[in-house]
Each structure stands twice: as structure tokens, then as C-alpha cells.
Amino acid sequence: MSKIRPSKGAPYARIMGVGGYRPVRVVPNEVILETIDSSDEWIRSRSGIATRHWASPEETVAAMSIEASGKAIADAGISADQIGGVIVSTVSHFKQTPAVATEIADKLGTGKAAAFDISAGCAGFGYGLTLAKGMIVEGSAKYVLVIGVERLSDLTDLQDRATAFLFGDGAGAVVVGPADEPAIGPTVWGSEGDKSETIKQTVPWTEYDSSGKFPAITQEGQAVFRWAVFEMAKVAQQALDAAGISPDDLDVFIPHQANMRIIDSMVKTLKLPDHVTVARDVETTGNTSAASIPLAMERLLATGQAKSGDTALVIGFGAGLVYAATVVTLP
């Protein structure tokens, strides 16, 4: 018989608060058209994007995260020193070590919170949320801060007609804490590494000096579109099934804000009822990868399009290819 004492965590976990930060500079499509041969009409028809936010030198990954996290902590009604874990999902923090999560945890005043970064592309928020839920139920932390943050403008090739218009910067954060009833459903997640070449960094950092070209994100647009629309709709349905609900039970759908055509196609494939509010934050924020779901969640709640207690399906998918979907109760 094991002599290890059982964990004493909460029975369930929930999202308690959400916060977002968008850089001050708003970049319309006209700016993108200075470096690619295209049109505003083409960009909008292909992606649904009209504007995006680009960070200034002062709006670092850490700085944006701290702003978003402060709002999430206040929204949750707790203090920073109660945070026991800080999880940061990002692909645009350019220091291999230390993790930017440690800097954020310190500057927020969390004390000695466990802090680490994860790299799961556009599915990173879902991965972080799942880890946070496990920490709370297991008992290693009472409150966990989950941050999705990107400065994708640093990884954008402005001469690449296929991707120059897609990416934006920003940070979204949620506080996850204990709950007496289920409020974060089972996660359906996974990876398809055989498709990893469809979204990738152009050259590894080790080849940067010899290539003479700064690494950027590139993708095979049509392949990604087909995968996202057909395969991710299946994953979204699996998440609904795992939570024991149907599309009719949903109030809100918050997919990764990759592309308006992908979002609309998923809504159609899932046969979501008209009463379901669908996040379409991509129009004014662009694709912010790991930050897109919490940013969209924050905007829906702030504008009254969604309300506390609503049942929401969230799904992220991207480079890897990786994905994560779950059903949550909104804070």
C-alpha cells in the first residue's frame, strides 16, 4: 500500500476572471498594402481582418502580460499574492531561458508562485487552461494565472503576400480557481506532427546568421484552412460530447481567431443555433495566436455580448499541428 498522502485539491476548477491588453497602435490594411501587392477588399474577403494591433518597443511580451493579468486578477476579486501558479503560452518570447513567466510572476507580486512557459502555438491557451485545472484539482495551487501573449509582428514577413496581413499583437489572461461544480469540461487535445510543415518558422534561429533572413512565420494557407474547418469541427463536437452537452445548450462559441472564413465555416459545420454568440474578434485584432481566445472572451464580456455564467465552447488550433477544445462557464 502506498504511503503517499492523497492530494487535497478542489473538486472542480473554474475561470474566475479575465483580462486583456491590446497595443496602442492600430494598423489598418492600408499599412500592410505598402509592402504587398494586394487590396483591402482582398484581405477582408480572405481573412475578415480590417485592422490589427502592433506593439511598440515598450509593449514587450512581459509588459503586455502584466497589464492583462492585473485586470484578470482584479476581475477575479483576489490579490496577486494568492496566485500559486503562472503559465504563459507564447511563441514570441525570444529568450530561450529564463521563462518570461518568472519575470511576470515577480513583477505582479505573486511571491514564489510556480512559473513556466509553454509553446503550443494557437492552441496554447487551451493547453494552459488544462494544466491550470489539473493544478487546482490536484491541490498544488489554489489560484493559477493563465496567460496567452504574442508579439507576432516580430515574426511577420511584410513581403509575404500570404501572411503579412494576418498577425497582430496582444495579451489575454484568466485566473483559474476552485469550484464546487464543474465549470471547465474535459479537454479534447492532441497533435498531428505529420502536418507540422504547414505552419512553421521559416528558418531555425541556428541558421539565422548564415541565411541573412530574420525568421518569420509561414504557412500553407489552403492546407491549414481545410484542416481547421473539417478536422477541428470534429474536435469541437468531441468536446461538446465530453462535456455532455449539445450545440443547443451553448450560449457562446469562442474559436481561435485565425480567419473569419474558418470561423464561419466551423459554425456551419457544427450547425450552431442562431442564439449562440460567436466571437469574431479577428476583424479588429487579427490573429494573435495564443492570446486570441482570452482576448475574444474578454471583449465579449466587456461589450455585453456574453455574460457571466454563460456556457462557452472554446477551441484553439495551430502550429504543430496542435489543438485543444473544452467547454467552460464564463466568469
Side-chain angles (χ1 to χ4, degrees), residues 26-275:
V26 177
V27 180
N29 287 338
E30 286 72 21
V31 173
I32 307 299
L33 296 175
E34 294 173 4
T35 55
I36 61 171
D37 180 16
S38 188
S39 68
D40 177 66
E41 181 183 4
W42 187 88
I43 292 173
R44 289 174 185 256
S45 66
R46 298 290 290 180
S47 68
I49 298 172
T51 61
R52 73 285 292 147
H53 295 256
W54 283 356
S56 68
E58 293 75 27
E59 291 169 314
T60 64
V61 165
M64 292 191 293
S65 297
I66 290 166
E67 289 290 334
S69 298
K71 295 175 184 177
I73 292 168
D75 191 43
I78 65 170
S79 59
D81 60 6
Q82 292 177 275
I83 298 289
V86 177
I87 303 171
V88 177
S89 179
T90 185
V91 298
S92 47
H93 174 59
F94 294 155
K95 287 184 179 179
Q96 192 73 32
T97 192
V100 72
T102 59
E103 176 185 351
I104 294 166
D106 176 63
K107 289 184 176 178
L108 284 172
T110 64
K112 297 183 178 180
F116 57 95
D117 298 350
I118 60 175
S119 176
C122 305
F125 176 74
Y127 275 53
L129 187 64
T130 302
L131 294 172
K133 173 186 174 182
M135 292 167 70
I136 289 159
V137 173
E138 186 270 339
S140 61
K142 186 173 183 180
Y143 303 105
V144 179
L145 183 65
V146 180
I147 303 166
V149 57
E150 302 292 2
R151 275 182 55 118
L152 293 182
S153 58
D154 292 335
L155 290 168
T156 299
D157 180 353
L158 294 178
Q159 278 71 48
D160 181 0
R161 190 173 184 271
T163 62
F165 58 89
L166 287 176
F167 302 120
D169 303 336
V174 299
V175 172
V176 182
D180 294 325
E181 60 183 14
I184 301 175
T187 300
V188 178
W189 58 354
S191 65
E192 297 185 30
D194 60 314
K195 300 180 181 67
S196 61
E197 292 295 301
T198 56
I199 307 175
K200 64 180 181 179
Q201 187 172 303
T202 49
V203 294
W205 293 106
T206 52
E207 295 179 14
Y208 168 40
D209 288 341
S210 60
S211 72
K213 188 175 183 180
F214 194 80
I217 297 174
T218 184
Q219 68 176 31
E220 298 175 15
Q222 287 302 313
V224 172
F225 181 87
R226 289 193 298 270
W227 176 77
V229 170
F230 297 108
E231 297 304 319
M232 292 305 97
K234 296 176 186 177
V235 170
Q237 183 60 57
Q238 290 170 14
L240 291 174
D241 294 341
I245 67 172
S246 72
D248 289 337
D249 298 317
L250 278 181
D251 300 303
V252 184
F253 178 44
I254 311 177
H256 165 48
Q257 302 294 293
N259 179 302
M260 195 75 79
R261 292 170 63 213
I262 291 176
I263 294 170
D264 291 341
S265 295
M266 290 184 71
V267 169
K268 183 177 180 180
T269 302
L270 286 166
K271 299 179 180 178
L272 295 184
D274 291 341
H275 75 261

